[in-house]
Amino acid sequence: MAFPAGFGWGAATAAYQVEGGWDADGRGPCVWDTFTHQGGERVFKNQTGDVACGSYTLWEEDLKCIKQLGLTHYRFSISWSRLLPDGTTGFINQKGIDYYNKIIDDLLMNGVTPVVTLHHFDLPQALEDKGGWLSDTIIEVFDKYAQFCFSTFGDRVRQWITINEPNVLCAMGYDLGHLAPGVPHIGTGGYQAAHNMIKAHARAWHSYDSLFREEQKGMVSLSLFCIWPEPANPNSELDQKAAERAINFQFDFFAKPIFIDGDYPALVKSQIASMSAKQGYPSSRLSEFTEEEKKMIKGTADFFAVQYYTTRFIRHKENKEAELGILQDAEIEAFPDPSWKAIHVDKVNLQLYCAWSLLDNFEWNSGYSQRFGLFHVDFEDAARPRVPYTSAKEYAKIILNNGLERPQ
């Protein structure tokens, strides 16, 4: 089965998960440095990303892996605090600029298109200390950071992701507190962070559109995490409605304002408002966008980027006790069917696939206990050797053939 001519084949990494060099050459601490250094078994065996894959000093080894696969695209993220140690342009770390310049230049020299993410979970700790994504002051700070990156690297980078999986970061980082920064604000923090992320993304998109697009001719979007929901009982009207709420809360929460009309899904707004009233709140726990903000947010994406892993069954679960929480607001329960493995494409103009991940790496709370890489990394060896898995060899064949070989 051949893919369209010019289809992009890529692999992805994220700065904190692979770079290491956590305090090298002027890099400032990020929230994951703080989170992992605090211990408390919040991460498997209290492991950290202090060294990770060592990509900060072993970039050339990563490049060898990229060339061995024959990738057309490589998606990586910039460590915000490596470029701007306190998160602002008040102090700029030239060694951070040099590092990312080398990555970009080496990729282009080898015919590989860079796809660059500005923020992949690793907020500078200095900004978190001022409220992080819970403070609306971060909107302007993020916009200035984005403008700095567009100005510094945009002459060579044409594809930008502003924020990676904001729906995951909001729910797991700022609501439940399972991910860094690790301080739970159940029922409120996720929504507050999301409100600011959406506006920060939109501001950055407009900055690119007005200041850089004409000359650089690039594209800007954000990447959304999606687990497709199916009703646990397809004959149950309650489960059918629960599945609809699931996609609204998880995916449409960000996609609808940015891609459609500048506002949250009506179902989400009514559900949170109703639950907030039951809990005695004077108003909804979900903030409203002003009409001016809706106009600013609407249409602020040049392509649609989805990070899809699997499907979940969704069951209606009434929140009888009016408990706080995103799942409680949605009144759903999600669970997997272990027998699923599948891809369905139906008249979608799909242009690029990036496998997660190029390398085994620091998998957030799971530390190094879970391996998703195309290349095995020996974390017990100071040299961090990269060895291709069978998946890497098979993926290289797919790339070479621009598709799957038909079985004989």
Side-chain angles (χ1 to χ4, degrees), residues 66-110:
I66 290 167
K67 293 168 67 175
Q68 187 173 338
L69 290 169
L71 299 182
T72 63
H73 293 68
Y74 178 58
R75 179 183 166 188
F76 66 94
S77 77
I78 289 173
S79 167
W80 188 341
S81 61
R82 194 178 296 285
L83 280 188
L84 310 177
D86 69 356
T88 75
T89 53
F91 174 70
I92 297 167
N93 182 18
Q94 184 60 45
K95 289 191 175 180
I97 295 175
D98 295 343
Y99 173 63
Y100 295 113
N101 271 334
K102 179 168 177 53
I103 290 177
I104 293 165
D105 291 343
D106 285 353
L107 289 171
L108 293 172
M109 193 179 302
N110 286 277

Side-chain angles (χ1 to χ4, degrees), residues 67 122 129 155 167 284 334:
K67 293 168 67 175
D122 53 350
D129 292 341
D155 59 327
N167 38 1
S284 176

Side-chain angles (χ1 to χ4, degrees), residues 249-264:
F249 269 80
Q250 175 208 195
F251 195 72
D252 297 352
F253 192 101
F254 284 86
K256 182 174 176 287
I258 291 168
F259 288 91
I260 299 179
D261 61 8
D263 199 11
Y264 297 118

